[in-house]
Amino acid sequence: MSGHSKWANIKHKKAKTDAAKGVSFAKFSREIIIAAKIGGGDINGNFRLRTAVEKAKAGGLPNDTIKRAIEKGAGGSSNENYEEITYEGYGAGGVAVFIEAATDNRNRTAGDIRSYFTKFGGNLGETGCVGWIFEPVGEIIIETPKTPDKKSKEEVKMFTFDELFEDCMEFDPKDVAQEDGEYKITTTVEGFQSTVEGLEKLGYKLKSSELTRVPSNSCEITDSAIVRKVMLLLEKLEEHDDVQNVYSNFEADEDLINQVAQNL
């Protein structure tokens, strides 16, 4: 799931195995169930559910599975009673790690997460020990518009960065930036929904939109052995069924990360 940009970018380039995809599918379904249970099964009237469904579809979750997850949550037929909880701690080298989980067994989840921190040279901390580093924000990604093929019937809104920037000002975003052929709009949590809906009404096609957390500082690691421990910790956490999102302020040279990743 989400994490610090450099690590996340490299991670996303790795081939998806069937096992990894299965873990992702389980996480998508769990978020849909929770969203539907809290706000009902109407996507149009439940923005969190809508966001969860869009993210699940982008991740390849089948429509039938999405439908069943919504019915489970909205209809109360799910046997799981998920509790949303966060964990905080430090990985090797002092890297801050913030975890969002959804669990039906708090003791099991806490025990597993604590064991991962211990195994890879870190320690699970108290609530608040690193949470202040990670600011909750909304993040919206819009691809740079491309002129459609002449045979295509799809209508594409053509715009410049300046035009998008001006339109975004109506919604008072925290930041509007251009990165790697995409536009990224950062909002407050409170302004996230109105910005998403407002941009869509103006004709913008969003590539993705989600609530995430952004670290206010970074912890740069140059020792390959420590980088390996941090990467193993983050990977192990993300593979856990109960963990929905993992955020860290881990920073390292991209070549070093790639080198270590090949030997994980």
Side-chain angles (χ1 to χ4, degrees):
M1 299 303 213
S2 301
H4 192 255
S5 58
K6 187 173 291 185
W7 162 241
N9 289 341
I10 292 171
K11 190 179 53 174
H12 291 160
K13 292 177 184 176
K14 297 167 72 176
K16 290 183 178 179
T17 63
D18 290 339
K21 186 176 289 186
V23 171
S24 296
F25 282 5
K27 295 176 189 290
F28 291 146
S29 294
R30 189 171 297 195
E31 171 59 19
I32 291 171
I33 290 172
I34 293 171
K37 185 175 183 179
I38 293 173
D42 179 9
I43 292 181
N44 295 321
N46 184 342
F47 186 74
R48 177 173 176 177
L49 177 61
R50 177 197 150 179
T51 303
V53 168
E54 289 176 350
K55 190 172 182 179
K57 285 183 176 180
L61 190 66
N63 288 332
D64 287 347
T65 305
I66 291 173
K67 182 179 179 181
R68 286 195 298 271
I70 293 174
E71 291 173 348
K72 279 185 178 182
S77 61
S78 175
N79 294 325
E80 300 92 345
N81 185 22
Y82 295 123
E83 174 186 10
E84 294 184 284
I85 190 169
T86 61
Y87 300 93
E88 306 174 37
Y90 288 97
V95 170
V97 182
F98 189 94
I99 302 154
E100 295 174 341
T103 178
D104 57 358
N105 187 325
R106 178 192 286 247
N107 291 334
R108 178 197 65 217
T109 306
D112 289 346
I113 290 176
R114 182 176 290 105
S115 71
Y116 297 158
F117 274 95
T118 301
K119 181 176 181 179
F120 299 112
N123 62 282
L124 184 64
E126 298 293 330
T127 299
C129 68
V130 301
W132 58 274
I133 296 175
F134 299 94
E135 179 187 10
V137 297
E139 187 175 276
I140 302 164
I141 303 295
I142 300 176
E143 290 184 323
T144 303
K146 298 178 181 178
T147 304
D149 186 277
K150 292 182 180 180
K151 297 180 180 180
S152 175
K153 295 182 180 180
E154 181 183 7
E155 292 186 10
V156 177
K157 179 181 176 70
M158 302 303 295
F159 59 91
T160 64
F161 175 75
D162 289 342
E163 289 170 336
L164 173 62
F165 186 90
E166 186 174 340
D167 284 340
C168 285
M169 290 305 101
E170 178 182 344
F171 312 108
D172 193 25
K174 292 176 67 66
D175 187 43
V176 182
Q178 185 172 10
E179 299 179 0
D180 301 324
E182 297 177 336
Y183 300 123
K184 181 168 74 173
I185 300 99
T186 306
T187 76
T188 62
V189 172
E190 296 76 16
F192 176 60
Q193 181 174 347
S194 61
T195 305
V196 168
E197 294 175 342
L199 288 173
E200 288 177 334
K201 286 180 181 178
L202 291 173
Y204 291 99
K205 186 176 181 180
L206 312 188
K207 180 181 178 181
S208 66
S209 57
E210 65 176 342
L211 292 174
T212 185
R213 293 176 184 268
V214 178
S216 60
N217 60 50
S218 62
C219 180
E220 185 169 3
I221 306 297
T222 57
D223 186 307
S224 61
I226 297 178
V227 168
R228 185 175 190 276
K229 288 182 179 180
V230 174
M231 290 172 64
L232 284 170
L233 171 62
L234 297 178
E235 194 166 85
K236 196 69 176 177
L237 288 169
E238 287 165 348
E239 289 174 353
H240 195 286
D241 287 346
D242 298 340
V243 173
Q244 295 296 100
N245 296 294
V246 179
Y247 306 96
S248 80
N249 67 346
F250 168 51
E251 187 73 75
D253 179 79
E254 189 166 341
D255 289 338
L256 177 57
I257 293 177
N258 279 320
Q259 179 184 344
V260 174
Q262 293 176 358
N263 298 308
L264 287 183

